[in-house]
Amino acid sequence: MNTRLETPPVTVGDQEMIVNGVGAQAVAGWIDVESPRDGSILGRVPRAGEVEVDDAVRAAAAAFPRWREKSARQRGDLLRQIADAVAPHVEEIARLSSAENGNALRTQTRGEAAFIVDAFRYFAGLAQEAKGETIPIRPDALDYSLRQPIGVVGAIVPWNAPLMLSAIKIAPALAMGNTMVLKVAEDAPFAVLKLARICQEFLPPGVLNVVTGYGKEAGEALTSHPGVGKLSFTGSTAVGRRVMEKASERLVPVSLELGGKSPQVVFPDADEDWVVSGVVSGMRFFRQGQSCTAGSRLFVHADIFESFTAKLVEQLSAFVVGDPLDEKTDMGTIVNRAQFEKVCDYIREGAAQPGARLLAGGVPDERADGYYLTPTVIADVEPSWRVAREEIFGPVVCVIPWTDEDEVVAMANDSHYGLAAFVWSKDLGKALRTAHRIEAGWVQVNQGGGQFLGQSYGGTKTSGLGREFSLEGMLESYTERKHISVSLSQ
Ligand code: NAD
């Protein structure tokens, strides 16, 4: 682990929110945003509350009638222009993102920033796909359906992949003719604000508003606001429940992308280096495990347990952990002190369980500036332990042996989460049989990559409601169906 910073310090200064196309401050003042690279203050953003959120929702509501009246093609063209304008800023946005949330530039934020361009282009192309249907009810009647925008979308995103998660809400919501108030995470506001400022060059004022601040203040003000017609939330399951509670008071539709504790099932024929690399990628070690889809419950067949875990430890020992902005770095830093302490507590507790073996990583002896941890492997974990059941959101994989296919499927499904899963075997019969039986919104077989445009991504059980990343997700999340029934007999 190299926690000595090889790249210069970054400062951002004070950055205003965006309300009705212009910069805005908050009556409650500013909040500091720390860089987890070194604990320095990167800059400040306004501490929005009810007043500022109300301004933003009013601006979005005022912009809605004219935005929805634009043709789908015009909206698509504007989204395409935004994509073209963002493209030359990808590197700058990626660096900002690494500085604020600690994800490594080379392995994470550069790709994530490039994804914005892809997402805006993809949904620009789908803007004209809000098609309806005709229903043959009677020969003398015409019945057809329309897909219409909902109105003001209140969107809330977390800090772990703020660019991807914001783009995946802004682009489809706007493509369908909605306007938006986006609440960014208090730990990672700057990169999304930069994106949103570029968007303002092309969008009419009020179409996209971005508010900053704490969840309990700005977030609650948004989920409670009567002017919001749809809530789209990505974050923890606990806060997702709260968002749904607030939505239920006004009966507004809600999409929730929440937490996970995803299983990876390794069959005995998969004791190979490429599987180990895939498992490392599926565990999202490159993002410090701070990913909702992290495959953090690793079920390895007993016949290959020792050999596979030895290969895993060997690969992880080559990981370069350090300054997120350094090109040599594979894995950056945990986002903040609270999260760092939480992950360390889980490691201490898991490693101290009777029979547990800490094969790699662990809690660092001395905390350097920043919140650096190395990839941690705890073997011989019992599925009932807290480390195996709760989302740690850190670079910690729990390895659990198995011997029987039914047994491993039961263990994989014994979770209140159901977001992602990974199955590793060259026997496609076994692999697909297992994939079909695992309770998750997304199962990957022999690969451990990230979400891609076009897939209907989302969770089952307490991992969420609704789908994103796709045409279907866009239509379900951001349009309302209306039927027009016409008598032809007059
Ligand atoms: P979080 O739920 O604490 O916060 C997410 C966002 O909600 C932040 O902007 C926060 O300010 C806001 N918020 C907090 N309290 C609120 C409230 N009472 N009302 C309204 N908004 C509120 O989550 P986090 O710690 O920032 O992110 C990590 C979590 O997000 C993990 O559980 C992870 O699995 C999940 N996540 C899920 C997905 C997915 O696609 N399923 C993707 C990324 C992250």
Side-chain angles (χ1 to χ4, degrees), residues 259-320:
K261 187 76 183 176
S262 299
Q264 304 209 47
V265 177
V266 182
F267 276 82
D269 67 347
D271 186 18
E272 296 187 11
D273 287 335
W274 67 270
V275 178
V276 176
S277 304
V279 161
V280 167
S281 165
M283 174 51 218
R284 313 294 185 235
F285 273 123
F286 292 104
R287 291 168 55 184
Q288 306 81 258
Q290 297 177 144
S291 164
C292 49
T293 54
S296 53
R297 290 185 295 145
L298 178 58
F299 296 98
V300 178
H301 194 274
D303 289 353
I304 60 163
F305 195 87
E306 294 308 322
S307 149
F308 191 88
T309 48
K311 288 190 186 73
L312 177 64
V313 169
E314 193 188 330
Q315 277 204 18
L316 292 176
S317 67
F319 250 61
V320 178

Side-chain angles (χ1 to χ4, degrees), residues 115 123 154-161 164-170 172 230-244 253-262 287 290-294 391 393 416-420 440-442 451-452 454-478:
F115 175 88
F123 288 105
I156 299 178
V157 291
W159 45 263
N160 69 322
M164 176 173 85
L165 300 171
S166 297
I168 212 66
K169 295 189 191 303
I170 298 168
K230 155 91 195 187
L231 288 166
S232 178
F233 173 80
T234 300
S236 62
T237 296
V239 176
R241 282 204 176 90
R242 176 75 182 145
V243 171
M244 195 158 175
V254 54
S255 305
L256 302 172
E257 296 288 357
L258 309 177
K261 187 76 183 176
S262 299
R287 291 168 55 184
Q290 297 177 144
S291 164
C292 49
T293 54
E391 184 184 46
F393 226 58
H416 59 88
Y417 289 119
L419 189 57
W442 179 28
Q451 298 95 316
F452 50 90
Q455 85 178 108
S456 270
Y457 166 78
T460 61
K461 304 194 212 173
T462 63
S463 289
L465 282 179
R467 297 291 180 262
E468 291 190 310
F469 283 80
S470 63
L471 169 63
E472 305 77 47
M474 175 184 79
L475 296 174
E476 286 160 22
S477 295
Y478 298 116

Side-chain angles (χ1 to χ4, degrees), residues 223 231 241-254:
T223 55
L231 288 166
R241 282 204 176 90
R242 176 75 182 145
V243 171
M244 195 158 175
E245 220 175 276
K246 299 305 292 180
S248 74
E249 287 170 10
R250 292 178 292 114
L251 288 179
V252 295
V254 54

Side-chain angles (χ1 to χ4, degrees), residues 10-32:
V10 180
T11 47
V12 181
D14 291 350
Q15 300 278 325
E16 294 181 321
M17 313 180 287
I18 299 167
V19 175
N20 206 23
V22 294
Q25 300 186 9
V27 287
W30 299 82
I31 55 181
D32 288 340

